[in-house]
Amino acid sequence: MGNASVSMPDVRVILVRPQHPGNIGACARAMKNMGFRHLVLVAPRQFPAEEAVARAAGADDILAAARVVDSVRAAVADCVFVAATSARDRTIPWPRLDARGAGTALCAHARSGPVGLLFGAERTGLTNDEVDYAHVLVQIPADPEFASLNLAAAVQILCYETRCAALGAAPAPESGHRPASQEDFNRFLEHLERMMADVGFLDARHPRKLMRRLTRLFRRAQPDDNELQILRGILNAVEHPYPPGRGRGDNT
Ligand code: SAH
């Protein structure tokens, strides 16, 4: 039973600081098996590499087209939705999905633009700062006594679930709103942080905790382009106040 003609959503599989080139190749193979093509490597220890090509077993076109960047921020810049995978429970209460739920969510968001799927390094996983770039945290419900899968096995499961969701997905509804890009979203957060520091609300010695909470709040809201513009407009108005009674009027 082949499904060759079904095109898969634009999911960017993002491997953060992968240590073993063999795993990169195995991930490329896992992706191609499920119909995904966009591989992004954040600061790989060794790439390109012969071992990666060997383990790709015919998916070397994915490796050849892989984009190499130096930060998670750059990797997700044009994504409208980002999911981070983790074997571990995190102390930060981030919105969570299991692998099946992640497949459905990635498919749904991919209707508006590229979506990112973050995977951590083999030994250490993703840092909390890297998880900050994600809307949801995804766990494969493995045995809690032995929950850490091989990197390529984790990629395989997430790609499989996303493929299943895509094969069963209903046709896309029109929303009318353009989703904000992650880069615009991150610039908004930087602007907010700057402004809060200026007005003395943010304790400059410990900015991270509050910023993480606010990041979570705004990510949950998933502002579209227009809504982000309004928020940026408010920040600008705080920095450069209009004279009383002379507001911009129509701010929408
Ligand atoms: N020791 C690391 C595990 C790294 S495994 C840790 O505790 O986080 C390499 C990567 O594979 C992880 O960063 C994650 O992206 C993915 N992965 C492994 N097991 C997973 C699981 N059960 N659920 C979700 N992702 C998993």
Side-chain angles (χ1 to χ4, degrees):
M1 194 180 75
N3 286 299
S5 63
V6 178
S7 75
M8 284 298 115
D10 188 0
V11 177
R12 313 266 158 100
V13 172
I14 303 163
L15 308 183
V16 182
R17 290 174 278 98
Q19 301 299 295
H20 304 294
N23 272 339
I24 300 176
C27 288
R29 179 183 189 178
M31 288 168 61
K32 190 169 174 179
N33 282 146
M34 296 299 124
F36 297 98
R37 316 206 64 84
H38 285 137
L39 177 62
V40 183
L41 305 172
V42 178
R45 195 169 60 85
Q46 195 192 335
F47 187 82
E50 269 174 33
E51 201 189 337
V53 175
R55 290 284 303 280
D60 37 318
D61 53 333
I62 308 270
L63 294 178
R67 192 156 62 94
V68 178
V69 297
D70 60 8
S71 67
V72 171
R73 178 170 175 164
V76 302
D78 63 348
C79 291
V80 297
F81 179 78
V82 180
T85 55
S86 175
R88 269 179 297 147
D89 269 330
R90 304 274 169 159
T91 46
I92 311 162
W94 220 244
R96 276 148 208 279
L97 291 175
D98 63 14
R100 186 144 304 168
T104 307
L106 288 166
C107 260
H109 288 284
R111 289 170 177 161
S112 340
V115 295
L117 187 50
L118 292 169
F119 292 88
E122 289 88 340
R123 227 156 34 81
T124 50
L126 295 165
T127 66
N128 283 344
D129 283 350
E130 287 161 349
V131 172
D132 280 348
Y133 286 103
H135 296 84
V136 293
L137 199 57
V138 179
Q139 252 176 332
I140 298 163
D143 189 324
E145 301 294 321
F146 194 64
S148 178
L149 280 74
N150 166 265
L151 178 58
V155 168
Q156 185 74 78
I157 286 174
L158 266 306
C159 287
Y160 170 72
E161 289 294 351
T162 309
R163 181 175 181 83
C164 287
L167 295 177
E174 286 298 322
S175 88
H177 290 294
R178 208 153 62 94
S181 77
Q182 285 311 288
E183 194 52 25
D184 286 345
F185 184 85
N186 291 326
R187 285 211 197 95
F188 159 68
L189 286 177
E190 282 172 354
H191 194 171
L192 180 65
E193 182 170 359
R194 237 175 17 246
M195 196 272 282
M196 290 195 305
D198 284 353
V199 300
F201 187 77
L202 193 67
D203 181 349
R205 286 163 308 174
H206 309 285
R208 291 306 302 163
K209 213 169 165 192
L210 179 62
M211 281 316 295
R212 183 161 281 144
R213 293 203 139 261
L214 290 172
T215 301
R216 209 158 38 114
L217 165 66
F218 284 108
R219 270 208 206 296
R220 213 161 55 226
Q222 291 185 28
D224 63 32
D225 240 12
N226 181 248
E227 289 161 339
L228 261 195
Q229 252 175 42
I230 296 169
L231 291 170
R232 291 296 293 265
I234 294 170
L235 296 178
N236 282 328
V238 173
E239 286 175 333
H240 313 285
Y242 307 116
R246 302 265 302 281
R248 255 183 67 207
D250 177 14
N251 280 304
T252 60

PDB file of all heavy atoms in Angstrom, residues 85-88 90 118-126 138-140 142 147-151 154, ligand 1:
ATOM      1  N   THR A  85      11.868  18.348  21.171  1.00  0.00           N
ATOM      2  CA  THR A  85      11.717  17.011  21.733  1.00  0.00           C
ATOM      3  C   THR A  85      12.666  16.830  22.907  1.00  0.00           C
ATOM      4  O   THR A  85      13.774  17.356  22.912  1.00  0.00           O
ATOM      5  CB  THR A  85      12.030  15.923  20.681  1.00  0.00           C
ATOM      6  OG1 THR A  85      13.336  16.165  20.147  1.00  0.00           O
ATOM      7  CG2 THR A  85      11.017  15.956  19.557  1.00  0.00           C
ATOM      8  N   SER A  86      12.195  16.092  23.892  1.00  0.00           N
ATOM      9  CA  SER A  86      13.034  15.863  25.064  1.00  0.00           C
ATOM     10  C   SER A  86      12.671  14.537  25.721  1.00  0.00           C
ATOM     11  O   SER A  86      11.500  14.204  25.877  1.00  0.00           O
ATOM     12  CB  SER A  86      12.844  16.996  26.067  1.00  0.00           C
ATOM     13  OG  SER A  86      13.562  16.713  27.242  1.00  0.00           O
ATOM     14  N   ALA A  87      13.701  13.802  26.108  1.00  0.00           N
ATOM     15  CA  ALA A  87      13.482  12.539  26.815  1.00  0.00           C
ATOM     16  C   ALA A  87      13.192  12.804  28.282  1.00  0.00           C
ATOM     17  O   ALA A  87      12.547  12.024  28.956  1.00  0.00           O
ATOM     18  CB  ALA A  87      14.724  11.660  26.667  1.00  0.00           C
ATOM     19  N   ARG A  88      13.695  13.948  28.735  1.00  0.00           N
ATOM     20  CA  ARG A  88      13.642  14.269  30.168  1.00  0.00           C
ATOM     21  C   ARG A  88      12.447  15.129  30.515  1.00  0.00           C
ATOM     22  O   ARG A  88      11.996  15.928  29.709  1.00  0.00           O
ATOM     23  CB  ARG A  88      14.873  15.084  30.535  1.00  0.00           C
ATOM     24  CG  ARG A  88      16.040  14.307  30.981  1.00  0.00           C
ATOM     25  CD  ARG A  88      17.181  15.261  31.282  1.00  0.00           C
ATOM     26  NE  ARG A  88      17.613  15.999  30.087  1.00  0.00           N
ATOM     27  CZ  ARG A  88      18.075  17.238  30.119  1.00  0.00           C
ATOM     28  NH1 ARG A  88      18.120  17.893  31.261  1.00  0.00           N
ATOM     29  NH2 ARG A  88      18.479  17.834  29.016  1.00  0.00           N
ATOM     30  N   ARG A  90      11.218  18.423  32.281  1.00  0.00           N
ATOM     31  CA  ARG A  90      11.908  19.692  32.521  1.00  0.00           C
ATOM     32  C   ARG A  90      11.304  20.363  33.731  1.00  0.00           C
ATOM     33  O   ARG A  90      10.118  20.184  34.022  1.00  0.00           O
ATOM     34  CB  ARG A  90      11.736  20.603  31.314  1.00  0.00           C
ATOM     35  CG  ARG A  90      12.215  19.984  30.022  1.00  0.00           C
ATOM     36  CD  ARG A  90      13.682  20.223  29.845  1.00  0.00           C
ATOM     37  NE  ARG A  90      14.229  19.438  28.748  1.00  0.00           N
ATOM     38  CZ  ARG A  90      15.364  19.753  28.135  1.00  0.00           C
ATOM     39  NH1 ARG A  90      16.034  20.814  28.509  1.00  0.00           N
ATOM     40  NH2 ARG A  90      15.820  18.982  27.172  1.00  0.00           N
ATOM     41  N   LEU A 118      12.772  20.298  16.795  1.00  0.00           N
ATOM     42  CA  LEU A 118      14.129  20.347  17.368  1.00  0.00           C
ATOM     43  C   LEU A 118      14.492  19.044  18.065  1.00  0.00           C
ATOM     44  O   LEU A 118      13.696  18.495  18.837  1.00  0.00           O
ATOM     45  CB  LEU A 118      14.219  21.463  18.408  1.00  0.00           C
ATOM     46  CG  LEU A 118      14.130  22.915  17.943  1.00  0.00           C
ATOM     47  CD1 LEU A 118      13.956  23.838  19.155  1.00  0.00           C
ATOM     48  CD2 LEU A 118      15.383  23.303  17.171  1.00  0.00           C
ATOM     49  N   PHE A 119      15.719  18.580  17.813  1.00  0.00           N
ATOM     50  CA  PHE A 119      16.255  17.401  18.500  1.00  0.00           C
ATOM     51  C   PHE A 119      17.583  17.770  19.142  1.00  0.00           C
ATOM     52  O   PHE A 119      18.387  18.479  18.544  1.00  0.00           O
ATOM     53  CB  PHE A 119      16.469  16.255  17.517  1.00  0.00           C
ATOM     54  CG  PHE A 119      15.180  15.700  16.968  1.00  0.00           C
ATOM     55  CD1 PHE A 119      14.612  16.254  15.832  1.00  0.00           C
ATOM     56  CD2 PHE A 119      14.530  14.654  17.603  1.00  0.00           C
ATOM     57  CE1 PHE A 119      13.408  15.763  15.325  1.00  0.00           C
ATOM     58  CE2 PHE A 119      13.326  14.161  17.110  1.00  0.00           C
ATOM     59  CZ  PHE A 119      12.764  14.710  15.976  1.00  0.00           C
ATOM     60  N   GLY A 120      17.815  17.266  20.343  1.00  0.00           N
ATOM     61  CA  GLY A 120      19.037  17.617  21.073  1.00  0.00           C
ATOM     62  C   GLY A 120      20.203  16.706  20.754  1.00  0.00           C
ATOM     63  O   GLY A 120      20.064  15.710  20.032  1.00  0.00           O
ATOM     64  N   ALA A 121      21.355  17.049  21.325  1.00  0.00           N
ATOM     65  CA  ALA A 121      22.566  16.260  21.138  1.00  0.00           C
ATOM     66  C   ALA A 121      22.434  14.922  21.860  1.00  0.00           C
ATOM     67  O   ALA A 121      21.698  14.801  22.838  1.00  0.00           O
ATOM     68  CB  ALA A 121      23.771  17.023  21.663  1.00  0.00           C
ATOM     69  N   GLU A 122      23.173  13.933  21.376  1.00  0.00           N
ATOM     70  CA  GLU A 122      23.052  12.560  21.869  1.00  0.00           C
ATOM     71  C   GLU A 122      23.196  12.456  23.385  1.00  0.00           C
ATOM     72  O   GLU A 122      22.414  11.776  24.042  1.00  0.00           O
ATOM     73  CB  GLU A 122      24.100  11.661  21.204  1.00  0.00           C
ATOM     74  CG  GLU A 122      23.823  11.387  19.724  1.00  0.00           C
ATOM     75  CD  GLU A 122      24.432  12.450  18.815  1.00  0.00           C
ATOM     76  OE1 GLU A 122      24.720  13.556  19.333  1.00  0.00           O
ATOM     77  OE2 GLU A 122      24.610  12.184  17.618  1.00  0.00           O
ATOM     78  N   ARG A 123      24.220  13.102  23.932  1.00  0.00           N
ATOM     79  CA  ARG A 123      24.467  12.890  25.361  1.00  0.00           C
ATOM     80  C   ARG A 123      23.677  13.866  26.234  1.00  0.00           C
ATOM     81  O   ARG A 123      23.144  13.484  27.273  1.00  0.00           O
ATOM     82  CB  ARG A 123      25.968  13.001  25.665  1.00  0.00           C
ATOM     83  CG  ARG A 123      26.488  11.881  26.537  1.00  0.00           C
ATOM     84  CD  ARG A 123      27.978  11.639  26.379  1.00  0.00           C
ATOM     85  NE  ARG A 123      28.734  12.857  26.131  1.00  0.00           N
ATOM     86  CZ  ARG A 123      29.125  13.714  27.076  1.00  0.00           C
ATOM     87  NH1 ARG A 123      28.816  13.499  28.332  1.00  0.00           N
ATOM     88  NH2 ARG A 123      29.819  14.782  26.760  1.00  0.00           N
ATOM     89  N   THR A 124      23.575  15.102  25.762  1.00  0.00           N
ATOM     90  CA  THR A 124      23.076  16.147  26.661  1.00  0.00           C
ATOM     91  C   THR A 124      21.652  16.615  26.379  1.00  0.00           C
ATOM     92  O   THR A 124      21.030  17.252  27.221  1.00  0.00           O
ATOM     93  CB  THR A 124      24.006  17.373  26.578  1.00  0.00           C
ATOM     94  OG1 THR A 124      24.198  17.689  25.197  1.00  0.00           O
ATOM     95  CG2 THR A 124      25.336  17.070  27.201  1.00  0.00           C
ATOM     96  N   GLY A 125      21.131  16.338  25.186  1.00  0.00           N
ATOM     97  CA  GLY A 125      19.798  16.846  24.857  1.00  0.00           C
ATOM     98  C   GLY A 125      19.823  18.348  24.610  1.00  0.00           C
ATOM     99  O   GLY A 125      20.888  18.937  24.414  1.00  0.00           O
ATOM    100  N   LEU A 126      18.642  18.978  24.646  1.00  0.00           N
ATOM    101  CA  LEU A 126      18.536  20.423  24.416  1.00  0.00           C
ATOM    102  C   LEU A 126      18.701  21.168  25.735  1.00  0.00           C
ATOM    103  O   LEU A 126      18.262  20.685  26.781  1.00  0.00           O
ATOM    104  CB  LEU A 126      17.164  20.758  23.822  1.00  0.00           C
ATOM    105  CG  LEU A 126      16.863  20.205  22.426  1.00  0.00           C
ATOM    106  CD1 LEU A 126      15.362  20.295  22.128  1.00  0.00           C
ATOM    107  CD2 LEU A 126      17.651  20.943  21.347  1.00  0.00           C
ATOM    108  N   VAL A 138       7.866  18.064  23.351  1.00  0.00           N
ATOM    109  CA  VAL A 138       7.322  16.774  22.904  1.00  0.00           C
ATOM    110  C   VAL A 138       8.079  15.627  23.548  1.00  0.00           C
ATOM    111  O   VAL A 138       9.302  15.579  23.515  1.00  0.00           O
ATOM    112  CB  VAL A 138       7.438  16.639  21.369  1.00  0.00           C
ATOM    113  CG1 VAL A 138       6.894  15.292  20.921  1.00  0.00           C
ATOM    114  CG2 VAL A 138       6.719  17.777  20.678  1.00  0.00           C
ATOM    115  N   GLN A 139       7.331  14.700  24.124  1.00  0.00           N
ATOM    116  CA  GLN A 139       7.941  13.505  24.677  1.00  0.00           C
ATOM    117  C   GLN A 139       7.374  12.267  24.000  1.00  0.00           C
ATOM    118  O   GLN A 139       6.153  12.152  23.839  1.00  0.00           O
ATOM    119  CB  GLN A 139       7.672  13.427  26.178  1.00  0.00           C
ATOM    120  CG  GLN A 139       8.908  13.713  26.995  1.00  0.00           C
ATOM    121  CD  GLN A 139       8.638  13.723  28.472  1.00  0.00           C
ATOM    122  OE1 GLN A 139       7.541  14.019  28.917  1.00  0.00           O
ATOM    123  NE2 GLN A 139       9.645  13.399  29.248  1.00  0.00           N
ATOM    124  N   ILE A 140       8.262  11.383  23.608  1.00  0.00           N
ATOM    125  CA  ILE A 140       7.827  10.064  23.153  1.00  0.00           C
ATOM    126  C   ILE A 140       7.579   9.266  24.432  1.00  0.00           C
ATOM    127  O   ILE A 140       8.488   9.158  25.270  1.00  0.00           O
ATOM    128  CB  ILE A 140       8.923   9.397  22.300  1.00  0.00           C
ATOM    129  CG1 ILE A 140       9.189  10.232  21.042  1.00  0.00           C
ATOM    130  CG2 ILE A 140       8.538   7.962  21.953  1.00  0.00           C
ATOM    131  CD1 ILE A 140      10.496   9.906  20.343  1.00  0.00           C
ATOM    132  N   ALA A 142       8.071   6.812  26.241  1.00  0.00           N
ATOM    133  CA  ALA A 142       8.864   5.589  26.408  1.00  0.00           C
ATOM    134  C   ALA A 142       8.805   5.147  27.871  1.00  0.00           C
ATOM    135  O   ALA A 142       8.238   5.848  28.713  1.00  0.00           O
ATOM    136  CB  ALA A 142      10.306   5.879  26.003  1.00  0.00           C
ATOM    137  N   ALA A 147      14.113   5.996  29.111  1.00  0.00           N
ATOM    138  CA  ALA A 147      13.284   6.808  28.208  1.00  0.00           C
ATOM    139  C   ALA A 147      14.052   7.451  27.072  1.00  0.00           C
ATOM    140  O   ALA A 147      13.457   8.014  26.160  1.00  0.00           O
ATOM    141  CB  ALA A 147      12.578   7.895  29.014  1.00  0.00           C
ATOM    142  N   SER A 148      15.380   7.364  27.106  1.00  0.00           N
ATOM    143  CA  SER A 148      16.171   8.097  26.122  1.00  0.00           C
ATOM    144  C   SER A 148      16.444   7.241  24.882  1.00  0.00           C
ATOM    145  O   SER A 148      17.173   6.262  24.935  1.00  0.00           O
ATOM    146  CB  SER A 148      17.483   8.545  26.766  1.00  0.00           C
ATOM    147  OG  SER A 148      18.271   9.218  25.831  1.00  0.00           O
ATOM    148  N   LEU A 149      15.824   7.627  23.761  1.00  0.00           N
ATOM    149  CA  LEU A 149      15.998   6.887  22.513  1.00  0.00           C
ATOM    150  C   LEU A 149      17.230   7.373  21.775  1.00  0.00           C
ATOM    151  O   LEU A 149      17.684   8.498  21.984  1.00  0.00           O
ATOM    152  CB  LEU A 149      14.788   7.108  21.585  1.00  0.00           C
ATOM    153  CG  LEU A 149      13.524   6.300  21.841  1.00  0.00           C
ATOM    154  CD1 LEU A 149      12.790   6.804  23.061  1.00  0.00           C
ATOM    155  CD2 LEU A 149      12.611   6.371  20.615  1.00  0.00           C
ATOM    156  N   ASN A 150      17.721   6.537  20.878  1.00  0.00           N
ATOM    157  CA  ASN A 150      18.744   6.992  19.944  1.00  0.00           C
ATOM    158  C   ASN A 150      18.165   8.142  19.126  1.00  0.00           C
ATOM    159  O   ASN A 150      16.981   8.147  18.788  1.00  0.00           O
ATOM    160  CB  ASN A 150      19.150   5.814  19.043  1.00  0.00           C
ATOM    161  CG  ASN A 150      19.952   6.283  17.849  1.00  0.00           C
ATOM    162  OD1 ASN A 150      19.388   6.505  16.769  1.00  0.00           O
ATOM    163  ND2 ASN A 150      21.235   6.465  18.019  1.00  0.00           N
ATOM    164  N   LEU A 151      19.014   9.103  18.793  1.00  0.00           N
ATOM    165  CA  LEU A 151      18.580  10.292  18.071  1.00  0.00           C
ATOM    166  C   LEU A 151      17.782   9.955  16.804  1.00  0.00           C
ATOM    167  O   LEU A 151      16.676  10.476  16.584  1.00  0.00           O
ATOM    168  CB  LEU A 151      19.818  11.140  17.730  1.00  0.00           C
ATOM    169  CG  LEU A 151      19.619  12.407  16.935  1.00  0.00           C
ATOM    170  CD1 LEU A 151      18.669  13.362  17.644  1.00  0.00           C
ATOM    171  CD2 LEU A 151      20.979  13.103  16.711  1.00  0.00           C
ATOM    172  N   ALA A 154      14.373   8.559  17.498  1.00  0.00           N
ATOM    173  CA  ALA A 154      13.418   9.608  17.889  1.00  0.00           C
ATOM    174  C   ALA A 154      12.936  10.367  16.655  1.00  0.00           C
ATOM    175  O   ALA A 154      11.738  10.645  16.503  1.00  0.00           O
ATOM    176  CB  ALA A 154      14.073  10.562  18.899  1.00  0.00           C
TER     177      ALA A 154
HETATM  178  N1  SAH B   1      20.469  12.393  27.643  1.00  0.00           N
HETATM  179  C1  SAH B   1      19.657  13.214  26.816  1.00  0.00           C
HETATM  180  C2  SAH B   1      19.012  12.371  25.752  1.00  0.00           C
HETATM  181  C3  SAH B   1      19.470  12.752  24.443  1.00  0.00           C
HETATM  182  S1  SAH B   1      18.843  11.629  23.239  1.00  0.00           S
HETATM  183  C4  SAH B   1      18.550  13.866  27.623  1.00  0.00           C
HETATM  184  O1  SAH B   1      18.401  13.470  28.767  1.00  0.00           O
HETATM  185  O2  SAH B   1      17.862  14.734  27.151  1.00  0.00           O
HETATM  186  C5  SAH B   1      18.958  12.709  21.819  1.00  0.00           C
HETATM  187  C6  SAH B   1      17.689  13.393  21.448  1.00  0.00           C
HETATM  188  O3  SAH B   1      16.738  12.441  20.967  1.00  0.00           O
HETATM  189  C7  SAH B   1      16.978  14.146  22.538  1.00  0.00           C
HETATM  190  O4  SAH B   1      17.563  15.405  22.786  1.00  0.00           O
HETATM  191  C8  SAH B   1      15.591  14.269  21.935  1.00  0.00           C
HETATM  192  O5  SAH B   1      15.623  15.260  20.949  1.00  0.00           O
HETATM  193  C9  SAH B   1      15.430  12.903  21.286  1.00  0.00           C
HETATM  194  N2  SAH B   1      14.796  11.926  22.183  1.00  0.00           N
HETATM  195  C10 SAH B   1      15.352  10.834  22.732  1.00  0.00           C
HETATM  196  N3  SAH B   1      14.453  10.173  23.498  1.00  0.00           N
HETATM  197  C11 SAH B   1      13.303  10.875  23.448  1.00  0.00           C
HETATM  198  C12 SAH B   1      11.997  10.730  24.031  1.00  0.00           C
HETATM  199  N4  SAH B   1      11.673   9.713  24.833  1.00  0.00           N
HETATM  200  N5  SAH B   1      11.067  11.675  23.729  1.00  0.00           N
HETATM  201  C13 SAH B   1      11.355  12.710  22.922  1.00  0.00           C
HETATM  202  N6  SAH B   1      12.558  12.896  22.364  1.00  0.00           N
HETATM  203  C14 SAH B   1      13.531  11.997  22.609  1.00  0.00           C
END
